[in-house]
Amino acid sequence: FFGNRADLTRLIAFDLETKKLTPLAWEGTTANGSNILHVDHENETILLQRGAFRNGERRFKPEVIKVDVRTGKFDTLMQPNPEVDAWIADGKGVIRASVGNDRDTGKVRIMYRSGSNGHLETVYNKADPTFTSVESYPEIFLDEPDMALATSNRDGFQKVYKLNMKTMEPVGVPIFSVDGYDVSALIPDYQNNRLAGVSYTSDRLRVRYFDPKLAEIQKILDEDYGPGNAVIGSYDKSYDRLIVALAKPEQRWTYHLYDIKTGDFRRLGYADDTLRNAQLNPVKMVRYPASDGESIEAVLTLPRHRLGKKNLPVVMITHGGPFGPRDDASFDGWAQAIAELGYVVVQPNYRGSGGYGKEWISKGRANGFGLRMQDDLNDAIDYLA
């Protein structure tokens, strides 16, 4: 597009019985055609948010279509709206909210409706002067009227709250929080109207389940494969059959089908058919002192052929953003490739990185935009030396 390479995402339905492949809504789709908002298992349809060809102010705005996964036929439910950058559905497949960003004013607009009838009305339209994402977006709509679950950093870190969608104010005390880290995502149950668990990143991606059965399954997986090495990716309605991804920090993921009733644990495939489940260069999280005394986390990947040796060359990889993203102790293709050549690789989560609360993001702007970030990078080299 306009001389630049871009990824175009599309969906294909696969019929397990006939082995037939059906492209889903490729015609008329622009860049992103794979964002599923809701799955109706009984009627075998999905709600798909996609970019669509439009003129004028709706040109780059998404629409929502209802797609029959057997035939690929679809109907348009929500036309592109100049004020909408993303649509949000509830567990019944009803579009209940939308989010838009005004690049000129910095305002975030959230629109909401109580049910399938009525129009979306603005319930939030503010700019964030701190640039720390103080907005709360509904992630799970509860069966209680006008109530949803969301995360908010109003107390410094992203915590889980019940949210009144009429007032956009949290109700009561936080439902869940993690000391020193942000909650990154909510995990809904099969019906998408209740909280089954939450995920957050400390040294690695971690999951805490509130559903008793899922919590017991995760406990068994942690005992068998080590904490953080097994992640439940999907499950059926009764939680009897699950897709589980396995990987240590220096491995690519391997996917398995786990049948709770029979105990069968069958490999489905590898994320990388070349590397498979090979353990490559060891990865760990370290903390180092910055020159002003601040403690900073960083990912360290050590060359497996030079373990125990000193005076090794160092390559630093910095994450993008620079505000918001972060690195963790999991498989990184660039870090592994460079470590395989004999280098120590360090990836600092300097001030401004995400996942450590809004104060940490604000510190990335202190004392001159980005200057303290560069000091944090220099300090990582001093620490390794």
Side-chain angles (χ1 to χ4, degrees), residues 196-227:
V198 299
S199 65
Y200 61 94
T201 300
S202 51
D203 58 334
R204 297 181 68 188
L205 174 67
R206 304 289 178 176
V207 178
R208 162 73 184 277
Y209 284 109
F210 303 111
D211 181 272
K213 188 170 183 177
L214 287 174
E216 182 63 25
I217 294 171
Q218 186 66 60
K219 179 182 177 182
I220 294 172
L221 293 171
D222 288 344
E223 292 173 350
D224 289 346
Y225 300 102

Side-chain angles (χ1 to χ4, degrees), residues 23 54 59 74 132 147 181 195 215 221 223 227 279 299 303 369:
R54 293 291 189 276
R59 183 176 180 183
F74 62 88
T132 57
M147 292 294 171
Y181 299 98
L195 184 65
L221 293 171
E223 292 173 350
Q279 286 189 235
V299 183
F369 186 89

Side-chain angles (χ1 to χ4, degrees), residues 9 24 31 86 189 252 301:
T9 59
L24 299 182
D189 66 350
R252 296 299 307 273
T301 304

Side-chain angles (χ1 to χ4, degrees), residues 43-172:
N43 295 308
E44 297 186 325
T45 60
I46 60 172
L47 293 190
L48 179 65
Q49 176 179 293
R50 67 169 189 167
F53 289 103
R54 293 291 189 276
N55 294 321
E57 59 186 355
R58 299 190 301 165
R59 183 176 180 183
F60 298 108
K61 301 299 182 178
E63 68 178 7
V64 179
I65 58 177
K66 185 176 183 179
V67 186
D68 186 312
V69 298
R70 294 232 178 232
T71 66
K73 295 180 179 180
F74 62 88
D75 298 311
T76 301
L77 297 186
M78 306 299 285
Q79 293 276 357
N81 186 312
E83 300 292 339
V84 176
D85 294 313
W87 303 92
I88 306 173
D90 64 15
K92 296 181 176 66
V94 177
I95 299 298
R96 296 282 300 280
S98 66
V99 178
N101 296 272
D102 189 317
R103 298 180 62 180
D104 295 325
T105 65
K107 288 184 176 181
V108 173
R109 180 192 296 271
I110 299 175
M111 294 189 285
Y112 169 75
R113 62 180 179 179
S114 296
S116 58
N117 298 321
H119 300 287
L120 292 166
E121 297 181 356
T122 299
V123 291
Y124 184 92
N125 190 23
K126 299 178 182 178
D128 174 17
T130 68
F131 300 99
T132 57
S133 302
V134 299
E135 309 86 14
S136 294
Y137 307 111
E139 296 186 48
I140 300 174
F141 288 98
L142 302 174
D143 288 338
E144 304 174 49
D146 298 316
M147 292 294 171
L149 295 178
T151 60
S152 170
N153 64 7
R154 59 186 289 137
D155 294 331
F157 291 86
Q158 290 286 354
K159 302 177 183 180
V160 183
Y161 289 88
K162 181 185 288 188
L163 185 68
N164 185 319
M165 289 302 302
K166 290 285 190 179
T167 64
M168 294 302 293
E169 288 293 328
V171 178

Side-chain angles (χ1 to χ4, degrees), residues 270-310:
Y270 300 101
D272 188 314
D273 283 331
T274 300
L275 295 177
R276 297 196 172 189
N277 62 351
Q279 286 189 235
L280 298 182
N281 302 282
V283 183
K284 64 179 179 179
M285 213 74 176
V286 298
R287 278 194 174 271
Y288 66 91
S291 54
D292 63 353
E294 192 73 71
S295 178
I296 300 175
E297 278 195 328
V299 183
L300 197 63
T301 304
L302 301 173
R304 61 193 176 106
H305 300 300
R306 293 182 172 182
L307 294 179
K309 295 184 179 182
K310 296 184 178 181

